[in-house]
Amino acid sequence: MPVVAVVGLQWGDEGKGKVIDLFAEAADTVVRHGGGANAGHTLRVGDETFVVHLLPSGVLHPQTECVLAQGMVLDLGVLLEEVDLLESRGIAVLPRLFISEKAHVVLPHHKAIDAAREAQFAAIGTTKRGIGPAYEDKVGRRGVRVEDCAQRPLLAERLERNLRGWEAEALQLGVPLPSVGELTEALRLVWERLAPRVVATDRRLWDQIETGRKILLEGAQGALLDIDDGTYPYVTSSHVSAAAACAYAGLPAQCLDRVVGVTKAYCTRVGEGPFPTELDASASASLRALGGEFGATTGRPRRCGWLDLETLRTTCRRNGIDALVVTKLDVLDTLDRIGVKRAQDASAERLVQHQGWNCPTHHLRTFADLPEQAATFLRMIESDAATPLMLTSVGPERHSNIGETDCFKGLPTGGYRRPRYTFGG
Ligand code: GDP
Ligand code: IMO
Ligand code: MG
């Protein structure tokens, strides 16, 4: 303790990376716990821009331990590329990296099958990073875990079984499967470098919780992409909720001291699926241009629309959000009218037009300095979401913010917060 979880409240790309990078200034450990290289987080520090897919967004701070926990599906080649890129830019990563032995490995045919399904069937609009097939193997009990890479005969056995499971579909899709030998050789090369970084990350985190280190659980994707709670079947293949953060990090359920939810001041989505407040093509393109809304992983244009406070209220309740972060307020600076779907008053027209503020907010650092209409807009979000606003982001840079930047502030240190049962007590 203290442990803070950060959760995306929309369809991903809410600006979680920027927020985690900021929060990580005060953290000892940052944990990615679900998903894989489908995530893409853009971090802006001074004149430099960094994009991470697998490494936690807190990686830029040299004091942080970076954990890739058991709920993840890891493309080990992509991971090493990311490590090497950051190290070439002067950031030492490997000595601070801890990889769960229980995380699953994304294999080349996972990516090929993901891409072929997208091309040949009713598409979800996946990132083609092999996430779905890797999680299918995990629940089908034919997946390859990180720890398997350490044991040659066992690895070959697991790979053989894995490949057998894909034979029929690969044939149908026309995807050539690699041989066990090819896979073993590719894994051997990355394993040589990563093996020393593989540990029981869950035990390591339990120890850290007991000694009062500050732990940040970094959510990827967003609540509306959750495999159960999202807009199924147009979702990712993992759980994205705050509750899942505990399971995926291997932590006890009562460990969370605070859950912070991140939402944009408007809404975006990449890939297919429903989007009730989506703008028409030309208005969507205008908002996309203002917000620079292109995917950090695939470069795809993001679909744009207005903020849906009715859904936000629900996702806040489902995730037990204690504090809200609203990002990209500055993107709305030049709009005369800002649409927003209200959460309350079922009889009234839900999609209302909020008056714009027509002046820059990027340079502002206090709530009191915000133009009145911007302040009213934020208060409306807070009220409809029934969740207090903690921080507003007014630019992509680490310190372009208004509000509280220390997510651990006021939290108890040491031990679990709930008293334990005492017999007869
Ligand atoms: P994530 O997946 O939730 O980490 O979000 P992404 O990094 O994929 O997308 C968010 C984009 O918005 C990135 O390009 C950020 O640099 C940028 N961004 C984050 N916060 C702000 C903000 O407050 N204002 C502006 N203009 N851009 C922001
Ligand atoms: P971050 O962490 C936005 C979406 C894909 C697709 C669906 C399934 O950057 O917020 P998958 O490849 O996971 O099987 O694709 O989920 N998706 C994301 N959209 N941001 C993400 O991550 C996403 N991760 C997955 O676009 O619609
Ligand atoms: Mg993203």
Side-chain angles (χ1 to χ4, degrees):
M1 301 293 214
V3 180
V4 174
V6 176
V7 179
L9 298 175
Q10 298 168 310
W11 282 290
D13 301 328
E14 297 89 349
K16 301 174 298 293
K18 175 209 154 145
V19 173
I20 295 280
D21 170 61
L22 173 72
F23 286 171
E25 281 184 335
D28 297 308
T29 303
V30 187
V31 185
R32 257 295 297 272
H33 47 77
N38 48 350
H41 310 299
T42 305
L43 319 174
R44 278 270 296 276
V45 188
D47 294 335
E48 292 206 85
T49 301
F50 302 86
V51 178
V52 289
H53 299 285
L54 286 169
L55 290 171
S57 299
V59 67
L60 301 184
H61 300 279
Q63 89 286 357
T64 55
E65 251 187 31
C66 295
V67 172
L68 304 179
Q70 64 192 34
M72 290 191 76
V73 287
L74 296 174
D75 185 330
L76 298 177
V78 169
L79 176 59
L80 271 182
E81 274 171 31
E82 231 168 85
V83 167
D84 288 342
L85 189 63
L86 285 186
E87 297 209 329
S88 74
R89 294 174 72 176
I91 298 159
V93 179
L94 222 41
R96 298 185 282 132
L97 184 63
F98 296 88
I99 305 167
S100 168
E101 80 278 48
K102 290 187 260 186
H104 278 246
V105 178
V106 174
L107 299 164
H109 51 287
H110 289 146
K111 291 186 275 191
I113 282 168
D114 193 357
R117 283 176 179 172
E118 282 295 313
Q120 296 180 36
F121 298 118
I124 300 289
T126 75
T127 58
K128 303 179 190 168
R129 295 299 187 267
I131 306 300
Y135 276 118
E136 285 167 44
D137 274 344
K138 174 176 172 169
V139 296
R141 272 68 61 91
R142 54 176 181 271
V144 173
R145 304 217 295 192
V146 165
E147 64 187 357
D148 299 336
C149 298
Q151 303 179 57
R152 277 312 194 74
L154 178 83
L155 178 63
E157 217 175 275
R158 292 264 150 95
L159 286 170
E160 208 171 303
R161 190 168 127 74
N162 182 279
L163 287 169
R164 262 205 312 278
W166 289 109
E167 266 167 14
E169 189 176 353
L171 191 67
Q172 188 198 2
L173 291 168
V175 171
L177 286 177
S179 68
V180 170
E182 283 165 342
L183 289 175
T184 321
E185 180 55 15
L187 285 172
R188 186 184 66 78
L189 292 175
V190 288
W191 185 247
E192 276 172 10
R193 291 186 59 202
L194 290 176
R197 311 315 312 157
V198 175
V199 300
T201 53
D202 48 2
R203 288 176 176 279
R204 193 172 177 89
L205 291 171
W206 305 339
D207 290 343
Q208 294 189 356
I209 286 175
E210 282 160 16
T211 54
R213 280 173 66 101
K214 292 178 178 169
I215 298 172
L216 202 47
L217 301 182
E218 166 178 345
Q221 288 80 48
L224 305 179
L225 289 170
D226 184 278
I227 183 78
D228 282 327
D229 297 325
T231 46
Y232 190 88
Y234 299 100
V235 292
T236 190
S237 300
S238 58
H239 290 280
V240 181
S241 62
C246 297
Y248 281 169
L251 297 178
Q254 73 270 42
C255 77
L256 295 184
D257 290 294
R258 180 171 284 155
V259 184
V260 177
V262 185
T263 175
K264 272 181 202 175
Y266 50 99
C267 197
T268 63
R269 171 162 211 175
V270 262
E272 303 304 315
F275 185 173
T277 57
E278 185 170 15
L279 285 160
D280 64 33
S282 100
S284 181
S286 308
L287 191 49
R288 180 183 309 127
L290 287 173
E293 296 294 354
F294 295 88
T297 299
T298 57
R300 288 179 291 177
R302 295 174 181 153
R303 298 157 64 190
C304 296
W306 297 129
L307 185 57
D308 180 347
L309 291 174
E310 187 181 27
T311 305
L312 187 68
R313 188 185 181 91
T314 307
T315 46
C316 282
R317 290 183 73 193
R318 192 182 299 288
N319 286 279
I321 303 298
D322 297 302
L324 263 186
V325 177
V326 175
T327 61
K328 306 193 91 161
L329 185 77
D330 56 299
V331 171
L332 306 179
D333 283 350
T334 55
L335 300 181
D336 291 329
R337 297 259 156 206
I338 299 158
V340 60
K341 187 175 175 196
R342 298 297 305 267
Q344 293 148 329
D345 191 4
S347 60
E349 177 53 61
R350 295 275 187 96
L351 189 64
V352 300
Q353 300 291 324
H354 185 88
Q355 199 187 324
W357 42 93
N358 270 306
C359 68
T361 54
H362 178 248
H363 60 292
L364 301 179
R365 295 293 173 268
T366 65
F367 199 90
D369 287 337
L370 279 170
E372 193 189 329
Q373 291 302 342
T376 318
F377 182 72
L378 291 171
R379 289 290 175 229
M380 172 179 67
I381 296 174
E382 199 177 32
S383 157
D384 276 23
T387 309
L389 177 67
M390 170 186 179
L391 184 76
T392 304
S393 170
V394 288
E397 308 82 10
R398 184 184 279 167
H399 292 295
S400 297
N401 307 296
I402 295 170
E404 180 57 62
T405 57
D406 181 1
C407 69
F408 298 100
K409 194 168 176 181
L411 293 178
T413 52
Y416 292 109
R417 70 174 158 179
R418 289 195 291 134
R420 287 200 164 153
Y421 175 76
T422 45
F423 186 75

